Structure formats: C-alpha cells, structure tokens
Amino acid sequence: MANTIELAQTGKRDHLRSLEKKYQALWKEERLFETAAPSQDELRGLSPEQIKEKYPKWFGNFPYPYMNGSLHLGHAFTISKIEFAAGYQRMLGKRVLFPHGFHVTGMPIKAASDKIIREMELFGENFERYNPDAEDETPKVIHNGPVQTTQVGKATKGKIAAKSTGLTYQFQIMESIGVPREQVKKFADPYHWLSYFPPICIDDNNAMGNRIDWRRSFLTTDINPYYDSFVRWQMNKLHKLGKIKFGERYTIYSPKDGQPCMDHDRSDGEGVGPQEYVAIKMEVVEWSPAAKAAVEGKVGGRTVYLVPATLRPETMYGQTNCFVGPSLKYGVFAINDKDAFLVSYRAARNMAFQGLSPARGEVEQLVEIDGASIVGTKVKAPFAVIPEVYVLPMESVKATKGTGVVTSVPSDSPDDYATTEELRKKAEYYKVDPKWLDFTPVPVIKTAKYGELTAVEVCKELKIQSPKDAKGLADAKEIAYKEGFYGGTMIIGDFKGESVQEAKPKVRAQLIEGGLAVAYAEPESLVVSRSADECVVALMDQWYLDYGEPTWRAQAEKHLARMDTWTVETRNLFEATLAWLSQWACARTYGLGSKMPWDLQFMVESLSDSTIYMAYYTVAHLLQGGDITGHTVGPLGVTAEHMTDEAWEYIFCNGPWPNPEPFPREKADAMKHEFNYFYPFDIRSSGKDLVQNHLTFALYNHVAIFPEDKWPLGIRTNGHLMLNGSKMSKSKGNSLTLREGIEKFGADAMRLTLADAGDGVEDANFDEKTANANILRLHTLLGWCEDMLKDDSKLRTGPQYYHDRVFEEEIIDHINITKHHYDTTSFKDALKYGFYEFQNIRDWYREVTADVGMHVDLVKYWIRASTLLVTPFAPHFAEHVWLAFLQEPQSIQLARWPDPGRTADRTFIEAGAYMRDTLKTIRDAETTLLKKLQKGKKGKPDGPSFDPKSPKSVRVYVATRFPEWQETCVRAVREAYSEAEDRVDDVRVRAILTESGLIKDKRAMPFVQAFKKRMQDLGAKAAFNRSLLFSESEVLAEFLPYLKRSLNLVDAEVFLVNEALQRDEPGFTPTIIESSEPGSPAFEYRNV
C-alpha cells in the first residue's frame, strides 16, 4: 500500500511551477552558472593569498551518480548539500564551480544488458511471451550446496535493483523506471544506457534549479577518449610510484562473472571483505560406524581430515574434541590425489578458488554425509595436549560460517565449555558415549582477571547454564576473546611466557609450515553479485592498490588531520576506515571501463577510476566541445591523442613540459591555469556509506598523486534519506524520484523540505506533509510581498519607534545567525532562522504595531533580506520577488549576501524575547484557568477568585533582584568554578550549600544544574552576570498596549515588587508578588 500522500489541490503548486520554469529558462539563457578562472593577466604577479582575497573561489562537488536509472530523492538530498552551499557561496562574491559528471564504469550496466539479452531469448524481442501467471523458478543462493534450478530453460532473473523494486526481471525494472516496453530491447546494448539516462539526469537537475556548470560534464570509461587518457595517466603514475602492485591475495570473487566482485558490483554485501582463518587438519584416526559405512571405499585411498576453521590458532594446545552440526550436510572433498577434507559444500566452494582442489574452481565431492553420522569419529588434534579427540554434536554450528566443523577448546571458548557441559549432563539424550567426554578443560592462556580457565570463569560470572543462552554466550565470547588477546599470556607450548598477541602469528606459522593446517578465507558475510551469484574468496594473482601500506597510510592520516569534515562522526568514520583498509583489487575483465594501460586484458574497476576525477572537472570544458562523450574537440583544439601522460603531469603536477611537445604549450598553460585556480576543491559531500571505500580512496589517491597544496580541503557526509519516516522502497509504494518530487511539490517546496530533512550522519527524513505545507507557505509569502510593495501607502512613514527598533535588530540578528549556519553547512538551522523564524519575527512586528502600522522602510528591508536569505534554498521564489516585485535590474543569482555590517544590539534582542515570553506566560495561565473551569476544578486560588470569562485586568510585578537562595547558589558555583579548567567542582558546590543550609532545599540542586547549562550555552562570564540588559519596566510600558489588545484586557498595570508588597488591598497577593524574578515577572488577573 502506498505511503506517499496525494495532493487535494494543485493550483498554488502549479503557479509556483510556472515561475520555476520561467526563471530556469532565464538562467540558462544568461548562462549564469558557467564559471571560469580570472584571466592569466588578472592573476599575474599576485601571490596565492592575494588571489584568494581578490578573486575568491569555491569548488564543491559530490560523487557522480551511476547512469543505470533516473535520480531519486536520495540523490537529490546529497546533491542539495552542494547546491545550497553553491548558492550561498555565490552570494559571498566567490567564483563558484559546481560540476556534475556521469559514472558508467563497472558491471551494473553490462550485467543488466546481458540480462535483457537473456530475457529477449526467453520471452521474445518485446517480451511478448512473458506469462506473469507462470510458476517462476529462479536459481537460489544455497549456503551449503550447489546452485540448482529445478526447471531447465528458465532465464536467470534480473536481480539488479530487485531489492528496491520487488520486481523479478530486468525488463520489468526498466518499465518501472519509465522505459516503454517496446524500447527495452535497445538497452541490450550497454552503450544505449549511456545516451539515454544522462539527458534525463540533466533535465531533472535543471528542473530542480541546480546551479551546475554543464560544460564540464563527462562520461567515464573509454567511450570518452579524454577521460580515458586521464585515467591512464592516473594508473600509470600510481604504478610507477609503486602504489599499484601485482601478486597473490585474497579477494571477493564471483565464479559466475569470472572476476573479482568489488563493492559497486554487488547487490548484497557492500563493504564485506575476506575473513582469513587457519584451517586445522584433524586427520581421521577411526570413523564412527555410520561414517565408516558412508565413506569406506569412496575416497580413493586419500587421507581424510576434518578441517575446522579457527581465528584463534594459539589455543590449539587446549583442544579436547571436535564439533559438527548433527543436522547439517557435509561432504568429503578431494583436495589432491592424497588428501580429502570433510567440510561444508560452501567451504569447499571457497577452497576450490584458493588452491585447495584438484582443479581451480572445481569442487570434487567424493561423499555426502550427515553430520549426525560423523559423531563419535576419532581424529588427531594438532598441537593438543590430548593428541586424539572425538567428534561431538553441537546444534549451534552453522553451515554459513567457517567450514561447518568446529574445534573445541573449553578453556578459552565459552560456547565450547557450555556445550561440553551440556553433553555431559545429557549424554544419553544427545546419543554420545561418556568416554568421548573423558577430559577436563586444558589451561592454555592465563589472564589477570580470570586466571587459567577464562571461558569457565566468564560463564560462571555471567551465570550461563545452557548452550542455548545465545545472548549470554555472545557476551561471554567477546569478553573472553578481548581478555585473552589483549591481556593473556601463553602458559604452554613453544611460546610459553609470551603474550597472546606475540604468540598468535607464530603458532599460526608453525601449524601451516608443519603441514598441520592450511590458510583459508571466506567472505565475512554473504556477498551476492549483481548477476545473482553467491561470491567466494579467491586467492589470485591480480593488480591491486596497496592501501594500508604504512608510509602511504601515514600520508593519508596526515591529510585527514588537517582536512575539514564538519562533524566528529565523519572524522571518526575516516579514522576507522584508515585503520582497517588494505589492498584493493583495481582490475577486472567484465563490464565497462578504461583499459589498464600496461595490461590490456584488464579494465580499471569502478571505484579505482573515480578517485581524483574532481581535477578533470577543471579542464573538461576546454577539452570537450560540449559533448559528454568527448567525441567533439573542445575550444582549445587539443585532441585526446595529444593528452599524453606527460601533458597531464605538466598540467596537474608541475611536471616538465615534454619535448617534443604534443601541442602548443600555451594551451596546456590555459588548462593549468584553470586547475591551479579552482583546485583543491573546498568541499565534497556524500552519503556516509562511501567513507569505507570511495571517499577514503580519494584521500589515498590525492596524497599519492598531487602536491600538498592540491589536497582536498573538506569532505562532509550525510545519512540516508527516509521518506515519511520510513525507508524508501519502490515495492512498498514509498519512493519518489527527483522528477516525481518536483512534479508533485514544485522545485522550491521540495528544496525547502530537503533542507529541513537533516544535516548530520544520522538518517534524515523527507516529510511530504512538510513539502505540501511549504507550497502554501511560499505562495502566501509571494502574495504578501506583492501586496506590500505594490501599494505602500498603507504603511507608516516618518520616525521609528521602540518596536521598530526591536524589529530591525531582530532582522540583523537573524541574518547573522543564518550566515553562521550556512557557513557550517547546517542547512536545517539556516532554514529555521533564515526562513521560518524570519517570518515569525515579521508576524510579531505586524501584531505588535497593529495600532500604528508597520514602518515602510522596515517592511522593505525585511522583504529584501528574507528574499536573499532564502535564495540558496528557494531560488525561483526569490528570483520572482527580486525581479518582479523589487524591480531589481539583474538576476538574484548575482546578488550579494545582505551583510548588515554589525552585530545586533543585544538589549533589543533580549527585550523582544522578553516580550514574547511574557505574553506567552500570561496567555498560558489564562488558558489553564479556563481548562480548570471547564472541568469544574475551580479549587481555591492563592488570591481572590477570578473568572477569565468576565472583564479582566492584569497586574504585572517586576523584581529588581533575585531571591536570596538563588544568589547563594550562584555564589557557590562561582566559588567552585575554575577558570583555567573551565570546570565546576560539584563536590565543592555541595559543600558550600551544606554550609549555608541550602543543600536540603529541593529547589537548590535543580537550579545549580540549570545554571551550569547556562554557563555552557553563554560562557561563564555572561552566565555569572545575571543583570538584565534592559529595563523591564520601560519595556513593559512599551508593551502594555499590545498586551491589552492581545489578551482583551480592560487594563494592565506594572508594579515593582517592593511597591506591590506595600499595597495592603485586595488583588495584591504576596505569594504571587514574591515569585517574581528579574526577567521573569509575576502577574495576577482580577475581574473589573
């Protein structure tokens, strides 16, 4: 069922949309978003600092989207961060570069094209033979057995985007994104995608009003010869620097595709890497009767080993038994002519790509056997104190983790200890011979906290009684591992006395070198390729980027330390990624891309050709002639063939100009000039999920390739975008493309809602109700601005009064606050103060001056300022007010920020807040009294009875000093405050309050805590200065006329507390009067 809303009326939206189209056409005609560096003559003789001051620039970008579909609202959310910043930076007088490229490298497009070809073979050219009612059979991912299909002749179903669409076939997915069925066949050619989707992307961005310089756009892959030469230069340079290496290493691999399966090639499992184990060879000494019957005579005389995979080889001295899952299926698989391993099918499939099978990639299963049949088999335990142990059942063994065989070390594994204890108690139930359990845990590691039997003690500590206590055992496992690894000492074996951290790799090496174990790896969790293949870990020779190499990593960390990330969370994500990221396969044989320059059988994979392309934006418009394919030579007249590695090196890295020169040097200097002016980029904005690959790769590549002054200045990240509080899902009807969002709400209302959605790394939310409300808000504001400016005769002229001054200062204050939030890319707060709150201060001014009218100068000042403040968010709305109502001569896209040139006078700002708070407090009190009357709970008030429905007046009591108990609390905090440490000693505060007898006063500690928070918000100096900046009595005197009108009062009077307490007459209630504090007046109603 659809979760999106339907708009009942669209007239206001349609009017806004007509304005949007009008001004988009104007901006395009005037080419307002095309930008270039100042001329070489203008910059000649200027230092970098002088250039920055005289000709400031700003370069923002985001990861170019993949062109296998239209942009959705999530894309728009990430784009909006750069778009809003670009709009703001233009207003600061900077030359703003906001480019947009198109990513087509890698598998997704090619895989989808291949699926369409298969579906055309199955269903016909236009899929006319497809029968939606026929029973579907699709190859399923099998964790413990081969991939099988029960019916022959069915096409493999397209899985690309299936998670989000809920659709089965690729042709259905194409239809769901707006491609007519009769045109789907064109997409069997992968290059058709490259001509179909980029124009849609451009149109959608333009319809959103984005300030993009489209001259600099390009397609990736070798279809664009200029970009292809750029990637070749990048790869060649990395290779020469020793950053790209060739060698045998573990990588996630798709057997079906016949190549590594990198993050962008996956439909499931992005970010998952290889997990390396030690696979222990536990030779079978004596089969159980059932296993003997199943295996005997079927293994070709091979020695059979049960092969558990362990992450803790240092504990092998303490093996007491071996576990299998009694309900799992196992196989005996040939490794070579002499050996066979008993493991799960899934493990054997991984091993087949790691040199552990007769032929690479081929699984030779000799026997299939149930886990229950293996129980009771005796096997050798390498390095163990107990040299031969028995196989026992463990119900929690999973076929999806490790090999399905588990070696047991009860001294250090809580799971092993809990299971062996359970088997002892219920041997008959589990059908195990008690003699198989004739052992006690063997001490291996000693820790300070748990002694020599860590697992035993942790299970006791957590009161674990059963192997079915999954949560308790998970906690125990984490405790035991950390305690043993970080604080443990070996008490047995060749490395006795050494720390576990030191001994672990040595024991591993001994086991493997002694032929008692083999190295084994598998994916950390399930990885499925876009071709629906469950991936394995393959050990293969390949080209890889040597990320993680200590010197290179140190450079990247140095760069990160000085780079702006805007949030601590983003910095933490980068630091964590740099800590674990290591070698990354950078070549593939399937898909679209640029050839590896020195090994043409490979292509550069999709995350490796997209790390420094931001530099290419600076010169693309000079090389390409307005053609994203690069097939048209650009204004410099330089062909792609002329762009040699030496030319790129000269332009981007100050390399020597080649001799003979490939083209005239002044043309290269023109490109170098653009690059040097705009680079490094100021900000790159992206979803947080790209930190673990693309964004960190960008850091590594920049520090390797470019001089330090060209390293990126900043990278910010955002969370995912939800729609109406739920994850976007096309199959559940809860999704919007960018185009659908614009058509439904209009560009500006949608943009305002994107700004309102959120800024941090946590998930944001696009609320359609907010978007709908923004339509009305924009339309209403347009009408008000037009009314005010069309006929200003109804507005006041002449001298300005108190409320005029408050309004002016509030305008200035909100301009400055909004600027701060734009500066920090806190767009939600910029919208709050520059749009929503900005209208609130106008509304207050309009109400408080209703008796005399608003001043014409201030109304015009507010309209001008409000228009400029919202320009980054709602440029079409702003443009209409600017040109049509304010009659400005040129586009608001060329306007400057409305800098007031000073800070607001806090006296008036606090007075304005005081008036609003006072009105709300008095109004709320009246509302509370009315509710009590309606419920019949009149009670007995402190003073005379009061009927809010009868004519009424109010007395306001103003205090000139705080209550003595509060002053005592403040003095206590002041005495306990250390200015040097900027810290309050809470113990000292309590001691002082005890001495003064206030510690038992229930008001004291809550007040102290609130005061400490005030110190954090305002700073200690301002917090300790509790005096008001304004005279309450004077402000209230200005405010009383509006108070009377607003609350429908007969009269309103102001009294000082001391004066009121001397009035011994009805209507002056001492308890109410004494509750007044400076800045928080007390009041009481009375009937008249």
Side-chain angles (χ1 to χ4, degrees):
M1 186 175 180
N3 295 321
T4 54
I5 67 171
E6 294 294 329
L7 303 190
Q9 310 240 338
T10 62
K12 294 180 176 64
R13 179 206 65 190
D14 294 343
H15 173 61
L16 294 174
R17 289 277 288 129
S18 67
L19 296 178
E20 289 166 2
K21 293 174 182 177
K22 172 183 176 181
Y23 293 116
Q24 286 162 11
L26 173 68
W27 300 336
K28 183 177 181 181
E29 180 185 350
E30 296 186 1
R31 303 169 69 174
L32 291 177
F33 307 137
E34 295 180 7
T35 189
S39 70
Q40 296 183 53
D41 289 339
E42 288 175 303
L43 301 187
R44 189 168 287 113
L46 298 179
S47 69
E49 288 305 315
Q50 289 173 321
I51 293 172
K52 189 180 298 184
E53 183 178 347
K54 190 173 182 180
Y55 300 103
K57 66 88 184 177
W58 181 89
F59 178 9
N61 54 73
F62 70 101
Y64 43 25
Y66 200 77
M67 289 292 100
N68 61 345
S70 298
L71 301 186
H72 55 69
L73 211 57
H75 287 114
F77 181 60
T78 295
I79 293 170
S80 74
K81 303 303 180 187
I82 297 299
E83 163 61 15
F84 298 154
Y88 169 67
Q89 295 291 334
R90 290 177 66 94
M91 300 181 77
L92 299 183
K94 298 180 182 179
R95 297 186 187 225
V96 167
L97 175 55
F98 177 16
H100 186 317
F102 307 103
H103 198 203
V104 294
T105 307
M107 279 185 57
I109 288 175
K110 184 67 168 66
S113 295
D114 289 348
K115 292 186 185 96
I116 291 173
I117 291 171
R118 291 195 294 270
E119 291 166 16
M120 289 168 62
E121 292 171 353
L122 182 64
F123 300 125
E125 186 178 69
N126 290 312
F127 314 98
E128 61 274 7
R129 294 196 301 272
Y130 171 68
N131 180 3
D133 298 324
E135 182 182 357
D136 289 327
E137 294 294 338
T138 183
K140 296 178 174 60
V141 174
I142 305 297
H143 301 301
N144 197 29
V147 175
Q148 297 178 336
T149 326
T150 56
Q151 289 187 4
V152 178
K154 281 284 185 182
T156 301
K157 293 180 182 178
K159 293 292 183 181
I160 184 171
K163 285 192 296 180
S164 59
T165 65
L167 300 173
T168 299
Y169 292 102
Q170 187 63 43
F171 79 85
Q172 295 173 315
I173 294 169
M174 303 307 292
E175 287 182 302
S176 77
I177 59 176
V179 179
R181 181 175 288 197
E182 61 274 12
Q183 290 189 30
V184 172
K185 57 178 174 283
K186 296 179 182 178
F187 291 87
D189 175 4
Y191 290 98
H192 182 67
W193 300 64
L194 279 54
S195 62
Y196 185 86
F197 285 111
I200 293 174
C201 179
I202 293 172
D203 289 345
D204 290 352
N205 270 283
N206 287 337
M208 184 174 166
N210 293 338
R211 303 165 174 92
I212 295 168
D213 185 349
W214 290 112
R215 299 172 305 152
R216 301 172 185 265
S217 300
F218 58 87
L219 284 170
T220 64
T221 74
D222 55 7
I223 194 173
N224 184 325
Y226 291 104
Y227 188 74
D228 187 53
S229 73
F230 169 75
V231 172
R232 287 201 309 271
W233 163 72
Q234 175 192 358
M235 292 296 110
N236 279 329
K237 181 162 186 176
L238 290 170
H239 190 213
K240 290 174 184 175
L241 290 170
K243 306 302 184 185
I244 296 180
K245 297 179 178 179
F246 189 77
E248 191 174 68
R249 60 183 293 278
Y250 289 120
T251 190
I252 305 293
Y253 181 85
S254 167
K256 182 176 181 179
D257 299 327
Q259 65 177 7
C261 185
M262 310 314 290
D263 278 4
H264 281 186
D265 306 327
R266 304 174 188 177
S267 61
D268 275 305
E270 185 171 350
V272 174
Q275 174 67 68
E276 297 184 36
Y277 294 89
V278 179
I280 308 299
K281 294 168 66 176
M282 305 184 79
E283 182 182 343
V284 173
V285 176
E286 182 182 350
W287 288 108
S288 67
K292 184 177 181 180
V295 174
E296 197 168 43
K298 298 179 182 177
V299 297
R302 294 176 175 85
T303 301
V304 180
Y305 300 87
L306 270 70
V307 185
T310 181
L311 296 170
R312 304 192 65 187
E314 73 280 5
T315 66
M316 292 303 96
Y317 304 102
Q319 295 175 88
T320 59
N321 61 282
C322 181
F323 288 122
V324 295
S327 61
L328 300 183
K329 292 284 187 184
Y330 291 86
V332 178
F333 299 93
I335 301 303
N336 48 46
D337 292 339
K338 297 180 179 179
D339 298 333
F341 287 177
L342 190 154
V343 293
S344 66
Y345 181 89
R346 175 181 167 279
R349 186 168 179 253
N350 275 274
M351 289 177 176
F353 291 91
Q354 298 170 28
L356 296 173
S357 66
R360 178 178 172 82
E362 295 183 11
V363 177
E364 186 177 338
Q365 182 169 319
L366 306 173
V367 177
E368 183 177 83
I369 186 169
D370 294 332
S373 300
I374 308 168
V375 173
T377 296
K378 184 188 284 189
V379 294
K380 292 181 180 179
F383 281 15
V385 171
I386 305 172
E388 295 180 352
V389 300
Y390 287 94
V391 178
L392 299 175
M394 187 185 217
E395 293 182 347
S396 60
V397 172
K398 297 177 180 177
T400 55
K401 196 75 173 174
T403 62
V405 181
V406 179
T407 189
S408 173
V409 184
S411 59
D412 291 274
S413 168
D415 288 280
D416 298 349
Y417 175 71
T419 301
T420 53
E421 289 300 297
E422 174 82 358
L423 293 174
R424 279 196 182 90
K425 294 174 189 175
K426 302 177 181 179
E428 186 176 350
Y429 173 79
Y430 287 107
K431 300 177 183 177
V432 298
D433 189 329
K435 75 175 185 180
W436 301 343
L437 290 150
D438 187 18
F439 56 76
T440 57
V442 178
V444 177
I445 296 167
K446 184 175 183 178
T447 66
K449 184 174 182 179
Y450 296 108
E452 297 180 353
L453 296 173
T454 298
V456 178
E457 295 305 317
V458 172
C459 284
K460 288 179 182 177
E461 181 179 78
L462 299 184
K463 297 181 174 57
I464 294 170
Q465 303 293 328
S466 166
K468 295 180 181 179
D469 184 357
K471 184 182 184 305
L473 283 169
D475 293 340
K477 180 179 181 180
E478 183 175 1
I479 293 169
Y481 177 77
K482 288 182 177 178
E483 195 72 22
F485 184 73
Y486 295 106
T489 302
M490 300 296 295
I491 58 175
I492 192 172
D494 290 351
F495 309 107
K496 180 179 179 180
E498 294 188 16
S499 71
V500 169
Q501 293 185 61
E502 293 173 320
K504 186 186 187 88
K506 296 177 182 179
V507 178
R508 180 184 188 277
Q510 270 195 346
L511 284 163
I512 294 174
E513 290 167 6
L516 302 173
V518 295
Y520 166 71
E522 65 184 29
E524 294 167 317
S525 58
L526 179 66
V527 177
V528 179
S529 74
R530 291 185 182 272
S531 57
D533 185 29
E534 181 179 359
C535 293
V536 299
V537 167
L539 186 62
M540 58 190 303
D541 285 330
Q542 60 184 290
W543 294 107
Y544 63 90
L545 281 151
D546 198 16
Y547 297 138
E549 186 274 319
T551 302
W552 198 6
R553 173 180 164 182
Q555 279 186 297
E557 288 173 333
K558 173 186 175 182
H559 174 26
L560 174 63
R562 74 185 198 190
M563 185 182 76
D564 195 352
T565 61
W566 280 270
T567 67
V568 173
E569 293 86 354
T570 298
R571 186 170 299 281
N572 291 342
L573 286 171
F574 272 114
E575 290 174 348
T577 301
L578 286 169
W580 64 259
L581 183 64
S582 61
Q583 302 165 350
W584 183 269
C586 59
R588 64 151 50 82
T589 57
Y590 176 81
L592 305 179
S594 295
K595 296 284 192 298
M596 195 65 81
W598 61 89
D599 195 346
L600 297 179
Q601 65 178 312
F602 292 109
M603 286 178 289
V604 182
E605 68 94 23
S606 61
L607 281 168
S608 299
D609 79 338
S610 55
T611 55
I612 62 166
Y613 67 87
M614 314 79 168
Y616 184 77
Y617 281 131
T618 65
V619 300
H621 65 302
L622 299 176
L623 292 172
Q624 302 173 186
D627 174 5
I628 62 173
T629 66
H631 293 170
T632 305
V633 177
L636 285 182
V638 176
T639 67
E641 292 74 23
H642 290 149
M643 291 306 298
T644 62
D645 285 0
E646 293 77 15
W648 287 115
E649 188 71 15
Y650 174 80
I651 293 165
F652 289 144
C653 299
N654 299 315
W657 182 241
N659 185 17
E661 62 180 19
F663 54 90
R665 183 171 180 171
E666 59 268 20
K667 296 184 178 182
D669 287 338
M671 289 186 273
K672 190 172 188 175
H673 174 72
E674 285 279 325
F675 172 72
N676 284 333
Y677 177 73
F678 282 112
Y679 228 70
F681 60 78
D682 296 81
I683 182 173
R684 183 167 182 78
S685 190
S686 168
K688 63 184 177 183
D689 52 311
L690 293 189
V691 172
Q692 68 184 0
N693 44 54
H694 163 70
L695 294 175
T696 302
F697 294 177
L699 298 191
Y700 266 113
N701 279 263
H702 273 87
V703 300
I705 291 173
F706 296 108
E708 281 194 39
D709 66 334
K710 301 304 181 189
W711 293 359
L713 298 176
I715 297 177
R716 80 183 299 283
T717 65
N718 52 261
H720 299 293
L721 184 69
M722 297 189 293
L723 179 60
N724 301 324
S726 299
K727 183 178 178 180
M728 278 198 276
S729 169
K730 196 161 188 176
S731 64
K732 295 179 181 178
N734 192 55
S735 69
L736 278 179
T737 64
L738 172 53
R739 177 166 295 186
E740 288 168 344
I742 294 168
E743 290 175 347
K744 189 170 189 177
F745 301 110
D748 280 348
M750 185 193 74
R751 289 168 63 109
L752 290 172
T753 311
L754 288 171
D756 197 44
D759 291 306
V761 297
E762 66 278 357
D763 287 349
N765 181 46
F766 184 96
D767 190 329
E768 287 192 298
K769 291 180 180 177
T770 300
N772 194 27
N774 281 332
I775 295 174
L776 177 61
R777 190 175 279 112
L778 288 169
H779 193 274
T780 302
L781 186 54
L782 270 181
W784 185 83
C785 291
E786 184 176 19
D787 288 344
M788 292 298 103
L789 295 172
K790 184 169 57 177
D791 180 13
D792 60 12
S793 61
K794 51 193 169 187
L795 297 174
R796 175 166 47 91
T797 58
Q800 295 185 6
Y801 305 123
Y802 184 79
H803 292 297
D804 298 328
R805 182 65 190 279
V806 171
F807 183 44
E808 181 181 6
E809 296 303 319
E810 288 185 330
I811 291 174
I812 291 171
D813 195 40
H814 278 69
I815 290 173
N816 292 335
I817 292 172
T818 302
K819 184 178 189 304
H820 166 73
H821 291 306
Y822 272 127
D823 284 335
T824 58
T825 69
S826 302
F827 300 119
K828 184 178 178 72
D829 286 333
L831 179 70
K832 174 184 176 182
Y833 290 99
F835 187 64
Y836 298 136
E837 293 291 338
F838 210 68
Q839 290 177 61
N840 289 343
I841 64 171
R842 178 211 58 181
D843 294 345
W844 171 265
Y845 176 63
R846 181 169 53 188
E847 292 174 16
V848 82
T849 59
D851 55 338
V852 296
M854 298 181 289
H855 198 285
V856 62
D857 293 342
L858 291 174
V859 169
K860 290 181 177 179
Y861 180 35
W862 183 92
I863 291 174
R864 177 176 291 273
S866 68
T867 303
L868 292 167
L869 262 58
V870 81
T871 294
F873 297 136
H876 312 89
F877 159 86
E879 188 74 276
H880 189 61
V881 175
W882 192 252
L883 295 179
F885 302 161
L886 291 171
Q887 299 291 305
E888 290 292 334
Q890 59 181 5
S891 170
I892 199 168
Q893 302 283 6
L894 302 172
R896 294 292 176 261
W897 180 259
D899 186 1
R902 65 176 177 87
T903 59
D905 187 327
R906 302 312 301 174
T907 301
F908 292 97
I909 297 302
E910 293 195 14
Y914 171 83
M915 287 187 283
R916 280 187 280 270
D917 290 344
T918 300
L919 176 65
K920 183 178 185 303
T921 301
I922 298 175
R923 180 176 281 150
D924 288 350
E926 181 181 8
T927 302
T928 301
L929 284 168
L930 281 168
K931 287 180 179 177
K932 286 183 178 180
L933 284 175
Q934 290 168 357
K935 293 180 180 179
K937 297 180 181 179
K938 296 182 182 179
K940 190 173 181 180
D942 292 332
S945 60
F946 166 69
D947 181 3
K949 297 179 181 179
S950 301
K952 57 188 180 290
S953 293
V954 71
R955 288 180 176 136
V956 182
Y957 305 120
V958 177
T960 56
R961 60 190 301 273
F962 290 96
E964 186 57 37
W965 69 270
Q966 283 192 15
E967 297 288 13
T968 302
C969 290
V970 173
R971 282 195 297 272
V973 174
R974 189 193 299 271
E975 289 182 32
Y977 173 70
S978 167
E979 186 173 352
E981 299 178 14
D982 192 25
R983 188 178 69 85
V984 175
D985 184 344
D986 291 332
V987 175
R988 177 70 178 138
V989 171
R990 295 181 70 86
I992 296 171
L993 293 180
T994 300
E995 290 174 13
S996 65
L998 265 178
I999 193 66
K1000 295 183 179 180
D1001 190 322
K1002 294 182 178 178
R1003 300 170 297 177
M1005 290 313 296
F1007 174 81
V1008 167
Q1009 295 304 321
F1011 188 79
K1012 284 168 61 181
K1013 185 178 187 306
R1014 180 177 172 83
M1015 291 173 67
Q1016 289 179 345
D1017 295 342
L1018 302 179
K1021 185 176 180 180
F1024 285 129
N1025 180 12
R1026 304 183 75 206
S1027 60
L1028 297 178
L1029 296 176
F1030 56 88
S1031 165
E1032 280 189 79
S1033 297
E1034 292 177 5
V1035 171
L1036 285 169
E1038 299 282 356
F1039 178 51
L1040 285 184
Y1042 174 64
L1043 187 69
K1044 290 166 64 175
R1045 291 198 316 273
S1046 177
L1047 299 178
N1048 194 26
L1049 300 173
V1050 175
D1051 194 15
E1053 302 170 278
V1054 178
F1055 295 89
L1056 294 176
V1057 167
N1058 292 340
E1059 177 188 353
L1061 287 173
Q1062 294 173 8
R1063 304 287 287 266
D1064 186 16
E1065 58 187 87
F1068 289 89
T1069 309
T1071 54
I1072 294 177
I1073 297 169
E1074 290 174 345
S1075 68
S1076 176
E1077 297 177 8
S1080 181
F1083 59 90
E1084 63 180 318
Y1085 281 106
R1086 62 190 177 90
N1087 291 122
V1088 293

